[in-house]
Amino acid sequence: MRDEIFISHRSTDAPVADMIKDFLVNTGIPNEKIFCSSLPGNDVGEKISPEVKTHLRNATINILILTQSYYESAFCLNEAGVIWYLDDALALPMGLPEVDHTSMIGFLNSDYKLRRLDNADDIAYLYDEAKNRIGGQEIKFSVVARETQKLKERYQSYLKTREPETEDHIGSIDAKHIVEIKAKIEAAIVDKSWVRTQEDRLKLLRDRPSQFKCNNLILKDASISNPDINNGLIKVE
């Protein structure tokens, strides 16, 4: 049963994940239903740990905190690839100032609406989806309004002390780097138990060619090899 909220982010962006988690808990979502991927060591390597896989399987909402640092992490990009693949869970990208719809790259591109933590409507959307999908304690409207304002103010204060990261840097990622990223996402970090047949997986990839477009690079004629028995990976070739 999918009944968790998964927050995908780089460990350097943990303060933003913390403020989102605090908002959700203070508006009635049980703390144990929220998982942040910034556990010690989680974004050091490229493969997703068994604990993270378990929580991805259980997630009904996947929040991605998109920053320059996120795009520089092979681990985070692998995680984003898994989240894109899981159609039955909501993918909710939250962008910091250096990211906008023109600089969203990889699987979760501009086809997805980018949300902001200083936008009351976007925070309301997050709250509504969390309540609809998770449930939790009933909270008065006045409390939700107060927590929304607190989140906005906390986020704005964080931005004032945060080291600037520029959108131009994201846009300057060259073709070689994109190829490297795609090569790492080839080991798609999708457990075999999440999918059905090889034909189903191939159809999904072919039906979504736009998701493989990045800085004018397109992965064409994608085919899928049999999952590796030992690692449970799907590879795009």
Side-chain angles (χ1 to χ4, degrees), residues 175-212:
K176 181 180 178 181
H177 185 50
I178 296 299
V179 170
E180 290 172 353
I181 291 172
K182 290 297 184 182
K184 290 169 182 175
I185 296 180
E186 281 182 356
I189 317 303
V190 179
D191 188 278
K192 289 181 294 183
S193 64
W194 300 6
V195 295
R196 298 180 181 177
T197 66
Q198 178 173 337
E199 290 74 18
D200 290 336
R201 297 192 295 270
L202 182 55
K203 182 177 185 299
L204 179 59
L205 291 173
R206 285 179 172 162
D207 286 349
R208 290 183 164 188
S210 64
Q211 299 295 329
F212 295 90

Side-chain angles (χ1 to χ4, degrees), residues 133-147:
R133 292 169 178 262
I134 306 294
Q137 180 183 358
E138 289 299 322
I139 300 294
K140 293 181 179 179
F141 175 78
S142 60
V143 174
V144 176
R146 183 184 69 229
E147 292 300 325

